[in-house]
Amino acid sequence: MSKCLGEELNEKGGICLMNKKVLKSLSLILVCWMVLSVSIGCQQNNQAPAPSSTDNETESADKPKPAQPVKTFKYTFFINQSIAEYPPDGGEAKQVIIDALKEAGIEGFDYEVQMVGGGEYDTKLNVLIASGDEPDAFRARNIDLRRFSESGVITPLSKYIEQMPHYKEMANELDLTNMSVDGEVFAFPQAKMKHPLVGDGVHGLIIRRDWLENLNMETPTTLDQLYDVLYAFTYKDPNRSGEKDTYGIGGWDQNWFNFAFGAYGLFLNNGKTGHAWVERNGRIEHTTVQPEVKEILSTLQKWYKDGIIDPDKFVVKGKQAKEKFINGNIGAYEQTVWWANDARKAWKDKPEQKVEIIPPVKGPQGLAGYPAGAIVNQGVAIAQRVVDEKDIDTLIKVLDWSVNTGEDGGFELVTYGIEGEDYTYDAQNDRIVQTLPEGYSSLYKRGFSNPVRFIRVNDRRWMDVPEQIRDIKIPSDPNNLVYSACYQSVTTMADYPDIFDKLWAEYFVKIVTGEYSVDKHDEYVQKFNSQGGAEVTKQVNELMK
Amino acid sequence: MQKAKGITNKFIHKWRKYGDYILLGLPGFIMLFIFRYLPMGGLIVAFKDYNVRRGFFDSPWVGAKWYNMLFMSDDFSIAFMNTLIISLLKLVCYFPVPIILAILLNELNKRYFARTIQAVIYLPHFISWAILSGILFSLFSPQLGILKVLGIEKSPLLMPGTFRWLLVLTEIWKASGWGTIIYLAAISGIDPNLYEAAIIDGANRFKRIWYITLPSISGTIVVLLILRLGNILDAGFGQVYMLYNASVYDVADIIDTYIFRVGLSTGRFSLATAAGLFKSVIGLILVLVSNRLAKIFNPDAGIM
């Protein structure tokens, strides 16, 4: 009675699709393919960090013993940046860097850079850690360091910093404290070169200079003057198109108009508000619960009601917001100096379109400032597995070499490529003159620059656009900055993430857009405290005693 | 001994008879086991304080700690209610659309025209929510999109009152075309003699749809409804995540976005697993109940 599928079909008058022989062969092929795939998969898994050199154990004992070859380990670096041009195999830069390291006396190092950009980075990192595949070195936010250190994923670094003379010289003490958990450093914050263009801030209010000129208006210096300018940008045809097609100010959905808070002496930075603290009467309190915030919200609500804030502001993401600025839909935008330069590059054929960062506008009490320390809330953490399974001393040497600006160091090589080919150093003016036909793509394609800057060093000697140099001087000046009273993280921050992530965003947007009245801020304060804010504040105060 | 020989013979006989089929099905079963059943072991994380270094088994048990945390949290209850509301809205508004579309497509006489319509309505299915969200931002922009022509000054994506309906409408736009495929397949299986007999009896198009097409595909409709009910707590992560913003958190934050934000982004895997398990258990109960109900009304209906 055994019949194949084909036989049954035949009896019903169908076409025999598959005879027994074909069926058998197909089954065998499928099974073989599966077994092969599984075995290949298992083999790949088993190939974990095998040293690339082998010991010559079989050689006879009477021969002179050769020097013990240095074991080479491949270290994986995971960075929150997405650079499509970077070759997955490291490109030609890899060998150049490894050779330069050998010349500096560091052997046994190989590397692989993995990249994920945007908001997906943290999720991807968490998934890698959860599956036990954490990278050897990865960028970590200081708010996550406690969690990582308590679970034993990352290794303490204080003692290694002592072995890194070049890094130690450039690392900022405050930044190192920000990367500490209970007094122990757990990530290397970016180092800062001592240079007039290197400061603690990069954010500022970018404004259309040509629109100001078209409207015969001066650069605003106070919040009220800024309102007048933004109003004119919205209603007085600043681009001379003859149409009402512009708005005063725009931004991305989690951009909180930090300059307005700075005008009241309050530190607030875009995105999550976990590091927004201010000292009041000897006690540290969260920025968003201060009474002045109501006044700021009231101002911004008026701005929105008067139509000078782009109605898409609270919907669009960063890239779309940037496009709106570049396309001339909005006249002001709070972002980093790099974005201002991106606009300049996009307008290279339209020299009449000009943009600049203005000094922070003053509030009613004469206070002003942009948020400081926007870029020191993350650092490079080293996985505990490097200590357990690889050679941390070699990695530490490499990291120090990569920030060493001396002749025996690799800072210029990893950052700017090959001297004479990609850049020259103008010693007289202390400038790096880059010769990159396709901009930074030329370096990325060959495997240099950002992906292999294992620890970032803040160096701005490459800046060559006068407008950009003028821009960067503004947030580099400490007088133009507002500092947070605490950049560190405490245990309870991870227990109540929504108060820093969701709660503020919700109330801020609803109050500014008029959905809620300004008095709803009282409800926000009550919720902030009851949903964990009071506990976090208490811990922050204990930490900063 | 005799008995053992008998069993061996029986096994050989069965192997000869069904061995090919077993081999053919084996890769599928193994894949299903590895990727669908084996990971279920990870569910114990929902009752442990999962520590990456200690692993699944050495992490300490914490009982129902994460469930207490979830059920005590206002945000989770809001997310749970939002999930139910958005899912039910989608179920009521979206579910009939592919059925109606499939019937309309089936009634089209011009084959070329029907194919063109099919291609057009399938298209949005292949565009990811990441891209669609960009298109929708522009479309609903009071500065750039059609709303400017209509004089609307606030983006509907910012309005809590309209946001859920936008989710439903965009879901219908994206998925209903693709959803017609199963119904079209079911319709194509209907015996043409039934239609011919109905025409002879004087049944017009509507009567043929009502008395032949719909009853013939009712089994398929019930199965898909049961499967859909099982996924009632899946309100569409990709869609909500890409489209929502701070202004609509209170009406749009669903369980999946909550898990993503509170569990995965902050690395609290135990909490994320607890919420995920809760979702799955509700889904399973709904599938079993709706299957039972389907059986009560029609013993041939249902999936089990």
Side-chain angles (χ1 to χ4, degrees):
Chain A
M1 276 308 282
S2 112
K3 288 172 189 161
C4 78
L5 188 62
E7 284 168 336
E8 279 175 353
L9 281 169
N10 260 347
E11 279 177 9
K12 288 179 185 170
I15 304 159
C16 184
L17 294 173
M18 200 185 287
N19 63 33
K20 198 158 185 166
K21 217 170 179 180
V22 175
L23 186 68
K24 199 172 242 171
S25 314
L26 194 63
S27 319
L28 279 171
I29 290 167
L30 273 172
V31 171
C32 292
W33 169 79
M34 199 192 65
V35 170
L36 202 70
S37 316
V38 170
S39 62
I40 289 169
C42 292
Q43 269 178 10
Q44 281 172 346
N45 255 350
N46 291 336
Q47 279 173 359
S52 61
S53 59
T54 51
D55 299 331
N56 294 332
E57 286 170 9
T58 49
E59 283 185 27
S60 59
D62 53 354
K63 277 188 181 175
K65 223 175 181 179
Q68 187 75 13
V70 179
K71 283 182 181 177
T72 299
F73 291 104
K74 186 183 254 188
Y75 299 86
T76 47
F77 291 82
F78 190 50
I79 62 171
N80 53 350
Q81 206 170 5
S82 181
I83 298 171
E85 298 98 321
Y86 182 76
D89 63 355
E92 65 165 270
K94 192 171 184 174
Q95 200 50 52
V96 176
I97 290 171
I98 289 172
D99 290 346
L101 279 165
K102 276 184 189 157
E103 215 169 288
I106 305 166
E107 289 193 53
F109 177 78
D110 189 7
Y111 66 90
E112 184 187 348
V113 180
Q114 297 165 358
M115 288 182 273
V116 173
E120 298 308 308
Y121 176 82
D122 294 324
T123 311
K124 174 81 177 164
L125 177 64
N126 282 325
V127 171
L128 284 173
I129 289 173
S131 53
D133 290 330
E134 67 268 25
D136 295 321
F138 52 90
R139 304 258 173 91
R141 298 176 301 179
N142 63 345
I143 201 163
D144 293 325
L145 290 177
R146 182 173 292 276
R147 178 165 56 88
F148 292 152
S149 62
E150 283 174 358
S151 59
V153 173
I154 55 177
T155 193
L157 300 171
S158 297
K159 69 172 178 184
Y160 297 113
I161 291 175
E162 298 304 319
Q163 300 167 24
M164 302 169 75
H166 304 98
Y167 176 72
K168 199 180 167 189
E169 197 187 324
M170 281 194 281
N172 180 310
E173 202 56 43
L174 175 67
D175 295 345
L176 285 171
T177 315
N178 294 344
M179 294 298 147
S180 304
V181 176
D182 301 332
E184 179 69 57
V185 176
F186 273 93
F188 297 116
Q190 74 169 3
K192 284 176 182 162
M193 200 167 263
K194 288 179 179 57
H195 194 272
L197 295 182
V198 176
D200 289 333
V202 282
H203 280 83
L205 188 63
I206 305 168
I207 209 160
R208 285 289 295 262
R209 158 65 44 199
D210 55 322
W211 287 12
L212 278 175
E213 286 167 4
N214 288 347
L215 295 163
N216 285 323
M217 295 184 92
E218 297 289 321
T219 303
T221 57
T222 64
L223 261 184
D224 291 339
Q225 286 177 14
L226 180 63
Y227 171 83
D228 294 339
V229 164
L230 298 180
Y231 194 89
F233 278 2
T234 310
Y235 296 108
K236 295 189 178 166
D237 194 17
N239 58 358
R240 295 179 175 164
S241 68
E243 283 179 41
K244 154 86 189 75
D245 54 358
T246 55
Y247 284 94
I249 188 165
W252 55 296
D253 60 345
Q254 296 210 340
N255 164 247
W256 313 130
F257 300 103
N258 308 322
F259 63 87
F261 288 82
Y264 284 78
L266 297 174
F267 174 96
L268 188 66
N269 206 352
N270 297 334
K272 297 181 181 186
T273 63
H275 300 301
W277 300 94
V278 62
E279 197 176 332
R280 287 282 186 268
N281 307 320
R283 192 183 135 76
I284 295 170
E285 293 173 6
H286 199 254
T287 295
T288 60
V289 300
Q290 298 308 305
E292 318 78 299
V293 170
K294 265 178 137 174
E295 212 173 314
I296 300 164
L297 290 172
S298 171
T299 305
L300 294 174
Q301 195 184 57
K302 177 178 160 45
W303 288 14
Y304 188 85
K305 197 177 166 200
D306 291 350
I308 63 175
I309 297 178
D310 175 14
D312 288 333
K313 146 90 185 71
F314 298 106
V315 178
V316 293
K317 308 287 176 207
K319 195 167 173 280
Q320 293 155 324
K322 187 178 182 180
E323 276 167 11
K324 290 195 92 172
F325 186 75
I326 289 173
N327 292 339
N329 303 122
I330 50 178
Y333 182 27
E334 190 174 34
Q335 252 298 349
T336 64
V337 290
W338 323 122
W339 289 54
N341 219 42
D342 287 347
R344 283 188 196 103
K345 278 184 201 158
W347 298 337
K348 63 176 184 236
D349 299 329
K350 298 172 185 167
E352 72 282 5
Q353 298 193 174
K354 288 180 274 185
V355 66
E356 69 179 26
I357 283 198
I358 61 166
V361 290
K362 292 189 177 84
Q365 309 297 323
L367 299 169
Y370 294 125
I375 41 181
V376 292
N377 58 9
Q378 58 171 285
V380 178
I382 308 291
Q384 179 61 36
R385 67 197 277 176
V386 176
V387 180
D388 299 342
E389 298 166 15
K390 297 184 182 178
D391 182 359
I392 184 139
D393 292 326
T394 301
L395 181 60
I396 291 297
K397 279 181 199 161
V398 171
L399 294 178
D400 195 47
W401 171 85
S402 76
V403 300
N404 179 0
T405 53
E407 287 202 349
D408 55 340
F411 170 74
E412 275 87 5
L413 177 67
V414 295
T415 311
Y416 300 114
I418 298 166
E419 189 169 9
E421 197 176 314
D422 300 307
Y423 77 97
T424 50
Y425 178 59
D426 173 1
Q428 202 177 352
N429 297 310
D430 189 22
R431 277 195 59 217
I432 298 282
V433 183
Q434 290 175 294
T435 45
L436 307 172
E438 296 170 54
Y440 269 80
S441 286
S442 312
L443 289 175
Y444 296 150
K445 274 181 191 166
R446 288 158 52 224
F448 287 111
S449 195
N450 287 336
V452 292
R453 291 168 69 193
F454 303 123
I455 294 181
R456 292 288 178 97
V457 175
N458 211 337
D459 174 23
R460 305 215 170 109
R461 292 175 298 164
W462 53 271
M463 280 190 165
D464 55 353
V465 181
E467 291 90 344
Q468 197 175 14
I469 293 173
R470 189 196 57 215
D471 283 349
I472 193 69
K473 280 182 180 168
I474 291 171
S476 297
D477 181 353
N479 295 319
N480 289 332
L481 299 176
V482 188
Y483 288 81
S484 171
C486 175
Y487 289 93
Q488 295 182 62
S489 62
V490 291
T491 344
T492 41
M493 279 181 182
D495 291 337
Y496 309 106
D498 265 1
I499 57 170
F500 300 116
D501 189 355
K502 180 174 162 262
L503 191 67
W504 167 251
E506 189 175 351
Y507 275 82
F508 178 81
V509 174
K510 284 192 168 178
I511 292 173
V512 173
T513 56
E515 183 82 21
Y516 283 170
S517 73
V518 176
D519 288 337
K520 275 270 187 182
H521 180 256
D522 297 335
E523 187 181 287
Y524 164 77
V525 175
Q526 185 259 322
K527 276 194 181 177
F528 175 87
N529 287 321
S530 65
Q531 291 182 9
E535 215 177 319
V536 178
T537 308
K538 196 177 151 207
Q539 277 201 356
V540 165
N541 276 282
E542 280 165 10
L543 178 77
M544 300 303 289
K545 254 180 200 169
Chain B
M1 190 68 188
Q2 192 70 24
K3 203 177 172 185
K5 204 175 173 188
I7 290 169
T8 316
N9 280 341
K10 207 173 171 184
F11 177 76
I12 292 168
H13 179 71
K14 289 263 182 199
W15 178 256
R16 277 190 185 145
K17 196 173 171 187
Y18 299 116
D20 299 335
Y21 299 108
I22 293 168
L23 279 178
L24 198 62
L26 200 59
F29 281 119
I30 292 175
M31 296 285 266
L32 197 71
F33 180 74
I34 292 174
F35 293 108
R36 289 282 185 260
Y37 286 90
L38 217 54
M40 281 190 197
L43 289 175
I44 56 166
V45 168
F47 305 98
K48 288 189 159 207
D49 190 358
Y50 178 61
N51 181 308
V52 180
R53 296 289 291 182
R54 288 183 172 185
F56 284 149
F57 301 107
D58 293 334
S59 295
W61 290 97
V62 290
K65 178 186 168 183
W66 305 114
Y67 288 96
N68 290 337
M69 196 184 259
L70 280 180
F71 298 134
M72 295 288 281
S73 149
D74 287 346
D75 283 340
F76 183 75
S77 39
I78 291 171
F80 181 69
M81 284 313 294
N82 283 338
T83 309
L84 277 183
I85 293 168
I86 292 169
S87 262
L88 285 173
L89 278 177
K90 281 185 180 173
L91 186 72
V92 173
C93 302
Y94 164 79
F95 191 76
V97 178
I99 302 169
I100 297 166
L101 268 179
I103 291 169
L104 290 175
L105 281 170
N106 186 52
E107 293 301 320
L108 284 173
N109 289 331
K110 293 201 168 121
R111 208 178 152 86
Y112 179 75
F113 184 60
R115 287 283 153 90
T116 312
I117 295 282
Q118 268 177 286
V120 170
I121 61 173
Y122 288 172
L123 204 62
H125 169 81
F126 297 100
I127 307 173
S128 77
W129 277 113
I131 297 166
L132 275 182
S133 65
I135 297 171
L136 290 170
F137 286 142
S138 303
L139 201 66
F140 294 133
S141 165
Q143 190 182 20
L144 310 166
I146 45 167
L147 298 185
K148 190 185 175 187
V149 183
L150 300 172
I152 295 172
E153 289 177 353
K154 193 171 179 183
S155 170
L157 291 166
L158 272 178
M159 299 183 209
T162 54
F163 189 79
R164 284 177 183 152
W165 292 106
L166 276 177
L167 290 179
V168 174
L169 281 175
T170 49
E171 171 82 9
I172 290 174
W173 175 59
K174 188 176 188 299
S176 57
W178 189 252
T180 58
I181 289 180
I182 293 177
Y183 296 113
L184 282 171
I187 291 171
S188 68
I190 300 171
D191 187 355
N193 291 332
L194 292 172
Y195 289 109
E196 283 164 19
I199 291 168
I200 292 164
D201 289 343
N204 63 19
R205 270 176 185 259
F206 292 107
K207 295 216 161 157
R208 273 178 271 158
I209 290 169
W210 189 253
Y211 292 108
I212 300 172
T213 313
L214 276 175
S216 304
I217 63 169
S218 63
T220 311
I221 294 174
V222 170
V223 169
L224 287 180
L225 186 66
I226 291 170
L227 293 176
R228 180 95 194 170
L229 278 172
N231 292 327
I232 197 123
L233 293 187
D234 287 324
F237 171 74
Q239 183 193 21
V240 176
Y241 185 69
M242 293 311 298
L243 291 178
Y244 82 158
N245 58 71
S247 187
V248 292
Y249 273 159
D250 50 349
V251 294
D253 193 22
I254 56 171
I255 295 178
D256 287 330
T257 50
Y258 178 84
I259 294 174
F260 183 80
R261 201 180 56 247
V262 178
L264 290 179
S265 293
T266 55
R268 296 199 295 178
F269 302 105
S270 291
L271 188 70
T273 312
L277 181 60
F278 168 75
K279 238 182 77 174
S280 305
V281 170
I282 300 277
L284 179 68
I285 293 168
L286 283 168
V287 166
L288 293 175
V289 170
S290 50
N291 186 56
R292 189 85 206 141
L293 285 174
K295 288 258 182 229
I296 290 169
F297 291 112
N298 179 4
D300 294 332
I303 50 175
M304 287 175 274

